[in-house]
């Protein structure tokens, strides 16, 4: 929160704080809901009591009128006097057409037909001052007949309802404030945990993560998503650092050779020696640029979590295009490239350019590292829900203890150092295969040679743009 110069939070900053807003919102909701329920309950109780009183009044009126043959003052007088003697708690009033009281236990009233609520009335002797709820009716001869009952119970209930609303409002407000304060502490404590983790990361501790409490609530899901994002960011940062280290390490050899060749060109006296030195310098520069480009592409592939622009690829077409491209190259080396046609309908989901590069690198390795007379076989088969692509040769192969090491960056075995290359081909192949959810293995090709197997998920269901 913003503070004043002395560090004390200003009133405006307190009102704008999330804690205050949560407390105020919770208290308001609690107050409104509680008061609504209490008011509806009080209204229902008052309505029920009022209905009961009016029904009782209607019964008394009907009973008085049912005992007479005509609804006029003359016939009702004796009935009203008898009713007062039998039940003096009920209010009766019978007036003639001139407004004079003929019978009853009430003083004169204005002639109003229908339900009436009187705030005061009294017995003739002594006065009681109770409110009256009753029903007035104009008679056939112009007289006026009124029946009422004591409304003190209704007034008392109305007062009790108002007192209940006042006290309940205070109680609901206190409960809302207390509950809102507790809720704000719980919510803001979780938010502060996330904020503290973010501050630690900004200070350089990129391995810091939000502690999960196994509550399986929204904050837990948010923390899990943030942790996954932080893991991804840390992996990308590590990848960038690794690329930087790889470039710094792997570029030293070609750059050192480039420097040597440039020194030789500068020191050469004969024109032909200078030309040869410059030509070798250009070759070293090309090698450095190739290594740099390959390292950047490899880092990009390793940082991705899915293949870009996936397509449904018929395996037979993919292998046929490579066989047509590398068949003549193998013949130039005195080798034989054989394509075994795969079964019909075999398909892969993936990026055509990247998967073509995988198979091209494996075929080129077999051609470049095998002697004349070598047979290179390219096959594809289905194995359960997988597609197994294989490039096998009858060349010298790779010792079993060296097969995992050759996937490292810039690794070249002693027997292949004279062959042109950067030592990044198999690193690139493994990165692409893993990007597509597959794996690569180097196996013996009995009786001799090497068999490279790439296992990839087969296409299932309708193709969708994206994985």
């Amino acid at each position: 929160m913003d503070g004043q110069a002395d560090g004390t939070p200003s009133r405006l900053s307190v009102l704008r704080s999330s804690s205050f807003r949560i407390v105020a919102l919770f208290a308001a909701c609690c107050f409104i809901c509680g008061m609504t329920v209490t008011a509806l309950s009080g209204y229902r109780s008052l309505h029920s009591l009022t209905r009961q009183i009016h029904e009782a009044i209607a019964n008394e009126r009907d009973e008085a009128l049912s005992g007479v043959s005509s609804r006029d003052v003359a016939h009702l007088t004796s009935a009203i006097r008898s009713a007062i003697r039998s039940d003096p708690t009920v209010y009766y009033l019978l007036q003639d057409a001139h407004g004079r009281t003929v019978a009853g236990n009430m003083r004169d009233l204005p002639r109003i037909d229908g339900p009436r609520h009187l705030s005061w009335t009294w017995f003739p002797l002594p006065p009681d001052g109770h409110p009256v709820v009753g029903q007035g009716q104009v008679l056939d001869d112009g007289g006026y007949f009124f029946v009422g009952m004591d409304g003190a119970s209704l007034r008392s209930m109305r007062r009790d309802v108002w007192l209940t609303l006042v006290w309940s409002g205070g109680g609901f407000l206190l409960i809302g404030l207390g509950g809102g304060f507790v809720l704000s502490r719980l919510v803001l404590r979780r938010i502060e945990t996330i904020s503290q983790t973010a501050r630690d990361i900004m200070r350089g501790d990129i391995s810091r993560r939000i502690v999960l409490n196994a509550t399986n609530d929204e904050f837990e899901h948010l923390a899990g998503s943030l942790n996954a994002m932080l893991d991804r960011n840390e992996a990308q940062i590590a990848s960038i650092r690794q690329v930087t280290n790889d470039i710094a390490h792997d570029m030293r050899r070609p750059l050192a050779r480039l420097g040597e060749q440039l020194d030789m060109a500068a020191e050469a006296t004969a024109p032909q020696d200078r030309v040869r030195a410059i030509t070798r310098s250009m070759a070293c520069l090309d090698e450095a640029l190739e290594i740099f480009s390959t390292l950047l592409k490899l880092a990009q592939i390793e940082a991705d979590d899915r293949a870009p622009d996936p397509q449904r690829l018929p395996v037979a077409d993919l292998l046929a295009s490579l066989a047509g491209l590398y068949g003549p190259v193998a013949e130039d080396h005195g080798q034989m490239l054989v394509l075994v046609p795969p079964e019909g309908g075999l398909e892969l989901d993936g990026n055509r350019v990247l998967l073509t590069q995988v198979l091209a690198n494996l075929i080129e390795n077999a051609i470049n590292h095998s002697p004349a007379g070598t047979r290179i076989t390219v096959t594809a088969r289905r194995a359960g829900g997988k597609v197994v692509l294989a490039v096998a040769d009858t060349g010298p192969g790779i010792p079993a203890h060296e097969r995992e090491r050759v996937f490292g960056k810039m690794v070249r075995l002693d027997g292949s150092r004279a062959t042109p290359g950067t030592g990044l081909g198999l690193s690139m192949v493994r990165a692409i295969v893993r990007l597509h959810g597959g794996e690569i293995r180097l196996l013996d090709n009995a009786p001799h040679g090497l068999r490279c197997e790439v296992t990839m998920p087969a296409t299932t269901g309708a193709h969708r743009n994206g994985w």
Side-chain angles (χ1 to χ4, degrees):
M1 294 182 293
D2 298 332
Q4 296 175 340
D6 59 356
T8 304
S10 66
R11 177 178 300 178
L12 184 59
S13 66
V14 171
L15 295 179
R16 288 178 176 176
S17 67
S18 297
S19 178
F20 177 81
R21 289 197 294 267
I22 292 174
V23 171
L25 181 61
F26 189 88
C29 290
C30 185
F31 178 80
I32 293 173
C33 293
M35 291 298 290
T36 301
V37 172
T38 304
L40 289 176
S41 177
Y43 171 79
R44 186 175 181 83
S45 300
L46 282 172
H47 180 72
S48 177
L49 180 59
T50 303
R51 187 180 68 252
Q52 292 175 8
I53 292 175
H54 280 290
E55 288 176 353
I57 292 171
N59 290 335
E60 293 291 338
R61 181 199 61 191
D62 294 342
E63 184 178 353
L65 294 175
S66 64
V68 298
S69 58
S70 178
R71 295 186 177 185
D72 53 26
V73 174
H75 290 86
L76 275 174
T77 301
S78 61
I80 296 304
R81 290 172 178 171
S82 176
I84 293 174
R85 287 192 299 269
S86 62
D87 190 359
T89 62
V90 179
Y91 294 91
Y92 292 98
L93 178 63
L94 183 62
Q95 296 175 292
D96 61 18
H98 302 289
R100 295 188 296 269
T101 300
V102 177
N105 52 5
M106 295 178 62
R107 301 278 305 262
D108 297 345
L109 289 176
R111 296 157 54 88
I112 299 176
D113 199 11
R116 301 186 66 175
H117 293 264
L118 308 178
S119 60
W120 60 271
T121 187
W122 56 84
F123 287 112
L125 291 173
D128 62 3
H130 289 178
V132 174
V133 178
Q135 178 83 28
Q137 182 174 349
V138 178
L139 301 177
D140 295 340
D141 60 352
Y144 183 69
F145 175 47
F146 178 85
V147 180
M149 300 188 72
D150 191 347
S153 60
L154 192 60
R155 181 177 63 182
S156 177
M157 175 172 283
R158 187 178 291 110
R159 182 180 64 251
D160 292 343
V161 168
W162 280 108
L163 287 175
T164 301
L165 285 174
V166 172
W167 286 105
S168 297
F172 287 131
L173 188 59
L174 289 176
I175 293 173
L177 291 174
F181 178 78
V182 173
L183 178 63
S184 69
R185 291 296 91 195
L186 293 175
V187 171
L188 295 180
R189 184 173 59 184
R190 301 289 294 276
I191 295 177
E192 177 58 26
T193 300
I194 297 175
S195 299
Q196 183 61 47
T197 302
R199 288 191 291 269
D200 292 341
I201 292 173
M202 287 189 293
R203 284 193 290 265
D205 184 8
I206 62 174
S207 63
R208 186 84 159 80
R209 295 294 180 270
I210 303 170
V211 178
L212 303 180
N213 299 321
T215 55
N216 199 31
D217 57 8
E218 289 78 4
F219 281 105
E220 195 77 1
H221 296 164
L222 174 62
S225 298
L226 291 176
N227 283 343
M229 180 188 68
L230 293 173
D231 290 339
R232 178 69 184 277
N233 290 344
E234 184 179 10
Q236 290 181 339
I237 292 173
S239 177
I240 293 173
R241 289 176 176 173
Q242 184 62 42
V243 170
T244 304
N245 294 335
D246 290 342
I247 291 175
H249 178 270
D250 299 335
M251 294 289 286
R252 285 184 297 182
R253 180 172 59 86
L255 291 179
R257 291 172 55 191
L258 174 61
E260 293 175 359
Q261 297 301 323
L262 291 176
D263 289 339
M264 293 176 61
E267 296 172 358
T269 56
Q272 61 272 21
D273 293 338
R274 185 177 295 111
V275 170
R276 283 195 297 269
I278 293 175
T279 302
R280 287 193 292 267
S281 298
M282 294 178 62
C284 292
L285 182 59
D286 290 341
E287 180 184 1
L289 291 176
E290 183 181 359
I291 292 174
F292 184 78
S293 175
T294 304
L295 286 173
L296 289 180
K297 184 175 182 180
L298 180 58
Q300 181 182 2
I301 291 174
E302 290 177 339
D304 289 338
D305 60 355
R306 64 183 64 188
D309 301 323
Q311 306 172 34
R312 175 169 293 183
L313 305 174
V315 175
D317 295 346
L318 187 64
L319 298 185
S321 62
L322 288 168
L325 178 64
Y326 285 99
V329 178
E331 291 180 1
D332 292 342
H333 286 74
Q335 301 164 343
M336 179 183 298
L337 178 62
V338 179
L339 170 63
V340 178
E343 62 182 87
L346 198 58
E347 295 179 327
L348 287 173
D349 277 334
N351 182 278
R352 176 181 291 275
V353 175
L354 294 179
L355 291 180
T356 299
Q357 183 177 353
V358 167
L359 293 174
N361 280 358
L362 295 179
I363 295 174
E364 286 179 1
N365 282 347
I367 292 174
N368 293 332
H369 298 287
S370 299
T374 299
R375 179 186 177 92
I376 302 171
T377 306
V378 181
T379 61
R381 60 184 175 85
R382 184 185 299 274
K386 306 285 186 179
V387 174
V388 180
L389 308 174
V391 177
D393 63 66
T394 57
I398 298 176
H401 64 279
E402 297 280 11
R403 289 174 186 166
E404 184 62 29
R405 193 170 74 90
V406 296
F407 288 107
K409 296 172 184 176
M410 304 297 291
V411 173
R412 305 191 70 186
L413 300 182
D414 293 337
S416 62
R417 294 192 181 275
T419 304
T422 61
L424 294 171
L426 286 178
S427 298
M428 182 73 72
V429 167
R430 171 177 275 185
I432 295 173
V433 170
R434 287 179 173 176
L435 183 64
H436 286 78
E439 61 178 353
I440 181 172
R441 298 185 302 163
L442 302 182
L443 308 170
D444 285 326
N445 185 38
H448 57 83
L450 182 69
R451 179 180 179 85
C452 302
E453 284 193 353
V454 176
T455 304
M456 305 279 290
T459 298
T460 56
H463 177 65
R464 299 185 300 271
N465 291 328
W467 290 12

PDB file of all heavy atoms in Angstrom, residues 37-53:
ATOM      1  N   VAL A  37     -33.299 -12.007   5.091  1.00  0.00           N
ATOM      2  CA  VAL A  37     -33.946 -13.186   5.677  1.00  0.00           C
ATOM      3  C   VAL A  37     -34.743 -12.802   6.923  1.00  0.00           C
ATOM      4  O   VAL A  37     -35.882 -13.237   7.116  1.00  0.00           O
ATOM      5  CB  VAL A  37     -32.879 -14.250   6.013  1.00  0.00           C
ATOM      6  CG1 VAL A  37     -33.507 -15.391   6.799  1.00  0.00           C
ATOM      7  CG2 VAL A  37     -32.245 -14.776   4.740  1.00  0.00           C
ATOM      8  N   THR A  38     -34.150 -11.957   7.777  1.00  0.00           N
ATOM      9  CA  THR A  38     -34.842 -11.555   9.005  1.00  0.00           C
ATOM     10  C   THR A  38     -36.102 -10.751   8.680  1.00  0.00           C
ATOM     11  O   THR A  38     -37.161 -10.958   9.294  1.00  0.00           O
ATOM     12  CB  THR A  38     -33.897 -10.723   9.880  1.00  0.00           C
ATOM     13  OG1 THR A  38     -32.707 -11.470  10.151  1.00  0.00           O
ATOM     14  CG2 THR A  38     -34.553 -10.357  11.195  1.00  0.00           C
ATOM     15  N   ALA A  39     -36.000  -9.812   7.733  1.00  0.00           N
ATOM     16  CA  ALA A  39     -37.154  -9.002   7.361  1.00  0.00           C
ATOM     17  C   ALA A  39     -38.269  -9.865   6.760  1.00  0.00           C
ATOM     18  O   ALA A  39     -39.451  -9.682   7.092  1.00  0.00           O
ATOM     19  CB  ALA A  39     -36.741  -7.911   6.375  1.00  0.00           C
ATOM     20  N   LEU A  40     -37.905 -10.791   5.899  1.00  0.00           N
ATOM     21  CA  LEU A  40     -38.926 -11.670   5.318  1.00  0.00           C
ATOM     22  C   LEU A  40     -39.580 -12.533   6.381  1.00  0.00           C
ATOM     23  O   LEU A  40     -40.798 -12.756   6.364  1.00  0.00           O
ATOM     24  CB  LEU A  40     -38.285 -12.547   4.238  1.00  0.00           C
ATOM     25  CG  LEU A  40     -37.875 -11.827   2.940  1.00  0.00           C
ATOM     26  CD1 LEU A  40     -37.173 -12.792   2.001  1.00  0.00           C
ATOM     27  CD2 LEU A  40     -39.091 -11.217   2.260  1.00  0.00           C
ATOM     28  N   SER A  41     -38.795 -13.023   7.328  1.00  0.00           N
ATOM     29  CA  SER A  41     -39.354 -13.838   8.406  1.00  0.00           C
ATOM     30  C   SER A  41     -40.292 -13.016   9.278  1.00  0.00           C
ATOM     31  O   SER A  41     -41.388 -13.470   9.647  1.00  0.00           O
ATOM     32  CB  SER A  41     -38.207 -14.417   9.247  1.00  0.00           C
ATOM     33  OG  SER A  41     -38.718 -15.152  10.330  1.00  0.00           O
ATOM     34  N   GLY A  42     -39.879 -11.763   9.617  1.00  0.00           N
ATOM     35  CA  GLY A  42     -40.748 -10.900  10.416  1.00  0.00           C
ATOM     36  C   GLY A  42     -42.021 -10.541   9.686  1.00  0.00           C
ATOM     37  O   GLY A  42     -43.115 -10.531  10.274  1.00  0.00           O
ATOM     38  N   TYR A  43     -41.904 -10.227   8.401  1.00  0.00           N
ATOM     39  CA  TYR A  43     -43.083  -9.886   7.613  1.00  0.00           C
ATOM     40  C   TYR A  43     -44.054 -11.064   7.550  1.00  0.00           C
ATOM     41  O   TYR A  43     -45.277 -10.881   7.676  1.00  0.00           O
ATOM     42  CB  TYR A  43     -42.664  -9.478   6.208  1.00  0.00           C
ATOM     43  CG  TYR A  43     -43.824  -9.318   5.257  1.00  0.00           C
ATOM     44  CD1 TYR A  43     -44.619  -8.175   5.276  1.00  0.00           C
ATOM     45  CD2 TYR A  43     -44.130 -10.330   4.348  1.00  0.00           C
ATOM     46  CE1 TYR A  43     -45.695  -8.039   4.418  1.00  0.00           C
ATOM     47  CE2 TYR A  43     -45.214 -10.208   3.486  1.00  0.00           C
ATOM     48  CZ  TYR A  43     -45.986  -9.059   3.521  1.00  0.00           C
ATOM     49  OH  TYR A  43     -47.060  -8.935   2.670  1.00  0.00           O
ATOM     50  N   ARG A  44     -43.495 -12.255   7.402  1.00  0.00           N
ATOM     51  CA  ARG A  44     -44.373 -13.438   7.329  1.00  0.00           C
ATOM     52  C   ARG A  44     -45.103 -13.651   8.657  1.00  0.00           C
ATOM     53  O   ARG A  44     -46.287 -13.995   8.679  1.00  0.00           O
ATOM     54  CB  ARG A  44     -43.538 -14.664   6.969  1.00  0.00           C
ATOM     55  CG  ARG A  44     -44.359 -15.917   6.723  1.00  0.00           C
ATOM     56  CD  ARG A  44     -43.486 -17.065   6.262  1.00  0.00           C
ATOM     57  NE  ARG A  44     -44.267 -18.254   6.016  1.00  0.00           N
ATOM     58  CZ  ARG A  44     -44.928 -18.517   4.889  1.00  0.00           C
ATOM     59  NH1 ARG A  44     -44.904 -17.632   3.906  1.00  0.00           N
ATOM     60  NH2 ARG A  44     -45.629 -19.628   4.744  1.00  0.00           N
ATOM     61  N   SER A  45     -44.394 -13.435   9.753  1.00  0.00           N
ATOM     62  CA  SER A  45     -45.028 -13.604  11.063  1.00  0.00           C
ATOM     63  C   SER A  45     -46.132 -12.573  11.276  1.00  0.00           C
ATOM     64  O   SER A  45     -47.229 -12.891  11.759  1.00  0.00           O
ATOM     65  CB  SER A  45     -43.980 -13.494  12.174  1.00  0.00           C
ATOM     66  OG  SER A  45     -42.990 -14.500  12.027  1.00  0.00           O
ATOM     67  N   LEU A  46     -45.841 -11.283  10.941  1.00  0.00           N
ATOM     68  CA  LEU A  46     -46.858 -10.242  11.069  1.00  0.00           C
ATOM     69  C   LEU A  46     -48.062 -10.527  10.184  1.00  0.00           C
ATOM     70  O   LEU A  46     -49.228 -10.360  10.599  1.00  0.00           O
ATOM     71  CB  LEU A  46     -46.252  -8.891  10.695  1.00  0.00           C
ATOM     72  CG  LEU A  46     -45.370  -8.206  11.749  1.00  0.00           C
ATOM     73  CD1 LEU A  46     -44.698  -6.975  11.155  1.00  0.00           C
ATOM     74  CD2 LEU A  46     -46.216  -7.810  12.964  1.00  0.00           C
ATOM     75  N   HIS A  47     -47.789 -10.945   8.954  1.00  0.00           N
ATOM     76  CA  HIS A  47     -48.891 -11.242   8.029  1.00  0.00           C
ATOM     77  C   HIS A  47     -49.743 -12.395   8.551  1.00  0.00           C
ATOM     78  O   HIS A  47     -50.982 -12.351   8.466  1.00  0.00           O
ATOM     79  CB  HIS A  47     -48.317 -11.587   6.661  1.00  0.00           C
ATOM     80  CG  HIS A  47     -49.351 -11.901   5.633  1.00  0.00           C
ATOM     81  ND1 HIS A  47     -50.161 -10.953   5.064  1.00  0.00           N
ATOM     82  CD2 HIS A  47     -49.730 -13.105   5.083  1.00  0.00           C
ATOM     83  CE1 HIS A  47     -51.003 -11.528   4.203  1.00  0.00           C
ATOM     84  NE2 HIS A  47     -50.752 -12.823   4.198  1.00  0.00           N
ATOM     85  N   SER A  48     -49.107 -13.400   9.121  1.00  0.00           N
ATOM     86  CA  SER A  48     -49.854 -14.554   9.649  1.00  0.00           C
ATOM     87  C   SER A  48     -50.737 -14.144  10.835  1.00  0.00           C
ATOM     88  O   SER A  48     -51.909 -14.532  10.906  1.00  0.00           O
ATOM     89  CB  SER A  48     -48.866 -15.646  10.065  1.00  0.00           C
ATOM     90  OG  SER A  48     -49.545 -16.735  10.642  1.00  0.00           O
ATOM     91  N   LEU A  49     -50.180 -13.324  11.753  1.00  0.00           N
ATOM     92  CA  LEU A  49     -50.962 -12.894  12.914  1.00  0.00           C
ATOM     93  C   LEU A  49     -52.111 -11.989  12.478  1.00  0.00           C
ATOM     94  O   LEU A  49     -53.242 -12.109  12.998  1.00  0.00           O
ATOM     95  CB  LEU A  49     -50.049 -12.165  13.901  1.00  0.00           C
ATOM     96  CG  LEU A  49     -50.715 -11.646  15.169  1.00  0.00           C
ATOM     97  CD1 LEU A  49     -51.345 -12.793  15.954  1.00  0.00           C
ATOM     98  CD2 LEU A  49     -49.711 -10.886  16.042  1.00  0.00           C
ATOM     99  N   THR A  50     -51.848 -11.088  11.545  1.00  0.00           N
ATOM    100  CA  THR A  50     -52.902 -10.195  11.037  1.00  0.00           C
ATOM    101  C   THR A  50     -54.034 -10.994  10.404  1.00  0.00           C
ATOM    102  O   THR A  50     -55.227 -10.704  10.610  1.00  0.00           O
ATOM    103  CB  THR A  50     -52.311  -9.205  10.022  1.00  0.00           C
ATOM    104  OG1 THR A  50     -51.261  -8.464  10.630  1.00  0.00           O
ATOM    105  CG2 THR A  50     -53.380  -8.249   9.518  1.00  0.00           C
ATOM    106  N   ARG A  51     -53.666 -12.008   9.622  1.00  0.00           N
ATOM    107  CA  ARG A  51     -54.690 -12.835   8.981  1.00  0.00           C
ATOM    108  C   ARG A  51     -55.529 -13.573  10.039  1.00  0.00           C
ATOM    109  O   ARG A  51     -56.757 -13.657   9.910  1.00  0.00           O
ATOM    110  CB  ARG A  51     -54.022 -13.835   8.044  1.00  0.00           C
ATOM    111  CG  ARG A  51     -55.039 -14.622   7.223  1.00  0.00           C
ATOM    112  CD  ARG A  51     -54.384 -15.619   6.274  1.00  0.00           C
ATOM    113  NE  ARG A  51     -53.736 -16.701   7.015  1.00  0.00           N
ATOM    114  CZ  ARG A  51     -52.424 -16.848   7.124  1.00  0.00           C
ATOM    115  NH1 ARG A  51     -51.618 -15.953   6.546  1.00  0.00           N
ATOM    116  NH2 ARG A  51     -51.906 -17.850   7.801  1.00  0.00           N
ATOM    117  N   GLN A  52     -54.861 -14.084  11.067  1.00  0.00           N
ATOM    118  CA  GLN A  52     -55.593 -14.794  12.119  1.00  0.00           C
ATOM    119  C   GLN A  52     -56.585 -13.859  12.833  1.00  0.00           C
ATOM    120  O   GLN A  52     -57.731 -14.235  13.126  1.00  0.00           O
ATOM    121  CB  GLN A  52     -54.613 -15.387  13.119  1.00  0.00           C
ATOM    122  CG  GLN A  52     -53.765 -16.513  12.564  1.00  0.00           C
ATOM    123  CD  GLN A  52     -52.716 -16.987  13.563  1.00  0.00           C
ATOM    124  OE1 GLN A  52     -52.715 -16.566  14.717  1.00  0.00           O
ATOM    125  NE2 GLN A  52     -51.826 -17.869  13.106  1.00  0.00           N
ATOM    126  N   ILE A  53     -56.127 -12.610  13.134  1.00  0.00           N
ATOM    127  CA  ILE A  53     -57.003 -11.655  13.808  1.00  0.00           C
ATOM    128  C   ILE A  53     -58.192 -11.307  12.921  1.00  0.00           C
ATOM    129  O   ILE A  53     -59.354 -11.262  13.383  1.00  0.00           O
ATOM    130  CB  ILE A  53     -56.213 -10.390  14.199  1.00  0.00           C
ATOM    131  CG1 ILE A  53     -55.193 -10.728  15.295  1.00  0.00           C
ATOM    132  CG2 ILE A  53     -57.142  -9.293  14.670  1.00  0.00           C
ATOM    133  CD1 ILE A  53     -54.276  -9.583  15.668  1.00  0.00           C
TER     134      ILE A  53
END
